[in-house]
Amino acid sequence: MLQISDDFTLEDIRAIRDDFYERYKDNWDREAMKKEIREGAAAAQKRIDEIRAQKERTA
């Protein structure tokens, strides 16, 4: 299981890259890879928006 720290460090980025590679190294399903990337980006953007909104409320 992939573990991500609260600080999201360079090591976390490397872990994500390595995890992604391990899951797809024998099956280069590009459509599945693109879907996973898009879903991950959408989730990350949602979290960033939540953090920004929270900071605006407390400012």
Side-chain angles (χ1 to χ4, degrees):
M1 174 105 177
L2 189 59
Q3 298 294 318
I4 304 298
S5 71
D6 291 338
D7 295 334
F8 198 75
T9 64
L10 184 56
E11 289 302 316
D12 293 321
I13 294 169
R14 288 183 181 126
I16 293 166
R17 178 200 61 204
D18 294 344
D19 177 69
F20 190 83
Y21 171 75
E22 285 299 318
R23 286 185 289 115
Y24 287 105
K25 70 180 178 182
D26 296 324
N27 178 20
W28 287 92
D29 182 347
R30 286 174 173 77
E31 293 306 312
M33 294 166 77
K34 288 190 294 187
K35 180 180 179 193
E36 183 175 345
I37 291 166
R38 283 191 300 269
E39 288 173 353
Q45 186 60 56
K46 181 180 177 187
R47 181 65 181 128
I48 290 168
D49 292 343
E50 290 169 354
I51 292 168
R52 285 182 179 156
Q54 183 181 19
K55 286 184 177 186
E56 288 175 3
R57 285 192 300 269
T58 60

